[in-house]
């Protein structure tokens, strides 16, 4: 999954948060999801969060604490680079990818999981290397 790099302006959001409008469709770039957990940088400062649908497009929201720590203020023009977090479907072992492909409900569930839980499920499945029959059942 390729990182997406773009220039944007930081605008006021709900509460004291700020919003960065995402100029691409993450569903097309990374696969359809309700929300896209991402990590990357804004002006070279590390950031994690979620790209979510907003007003007919997509937006990335940052917290007041991140703004303060990064020295970014509403109205600033920034360079943003974001990529999906955690194991994505294209990164999975063939047997796990096939199991998700065969079960759309399980695939939709996997796609909504945070990075921590995706890794935990994959570790649980990978813990069966000595018992291929159990691996297939867990997958």
């Amino acid at each position: 999954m390729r990182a997406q790099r773009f220039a944007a302006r930081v605008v006021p959001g709900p509460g004291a948060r700020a919003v960065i409008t995402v100029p691409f469709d993450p569903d097309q770039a990374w696969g359809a999801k309700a929300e896209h957990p991402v990590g990357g940088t804004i002006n070279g400062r590390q950031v994690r969060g979620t790209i979510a649908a907003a007003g007919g497009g997509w937006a990335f929201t940052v917290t007041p604490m991140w703004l303060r720590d990064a020295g970014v203020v509403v109205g600033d023009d920034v360079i943003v680079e974001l990529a999906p977090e955690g194991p994505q479907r294209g990164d999975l072992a063939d047997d796990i990818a096939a199991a998700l492909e065969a079960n759309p409900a399980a695939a939709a569930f996997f796609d909504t999981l945070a990075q921590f839980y995706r890794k935990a499920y994959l570790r649980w499945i990978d813990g069966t290397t000595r018992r291929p029959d159990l691996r297939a059942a867990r997958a």
Side-chain angles (χ1 to χ4, degrees):
M1 300 280 168
R2 287 194 3 227
Q4 298 289 321
R5 185 178 173 93
F6 57 94
R9 176 161 289 167
V10 180
V11 298
R17 292 185 166 97
V19 174
I20 297 172
T21 300
V22 176
F24 65 93
D25 184 346
D27 283 349
Q28 289 180 351
W30 303 322
K33 293 183 185 177
E35 293 183 335
H36 294 268
V38 294
T41 61
I42 299 175
N43 279 355
R45 299 291 302 244
Q46 292 293 320
V47 67
R48 292 177 67 205
T50 303
I51 295 176
W58 295 89
F60 183 76
T61 303
V62 293
T63 64
M65 187 169 48
W66 185 90
L67 290 170
R68 181 199 67 217
D69 293 347
V72 175
V73 296
V74 170
D76 282 356
D77 291 322
V78 293
I79 301 297
V80 182
E81 188 167 337
L82 299 174
E85 276 200 327
Q88 301 298 310
R89 293 249 213 124
D91 304 329
L92 300 177
D94 292 340
D95 61 335
I96 297 170
L100 290 176
E101 194 69 33
N103 187 337
F109 172 74
F110 182 81
D111 288 342
T112 63
L113 291 174
Q115 173 183 2
F116 173 81
Y117 295 109
R118 284 183 187 202
K119 286 182 177 180
Y121 269 110
L122 296 174
R123 210 171 22 254
W124 177 66
I125 293 169
D126 286 340
T128 61
T129 54
R130 294 184 185 173
R131 296 189 51 204
D133 58 321
L134 183 57
R135 179 180 174 89
R138 287 185 176 181

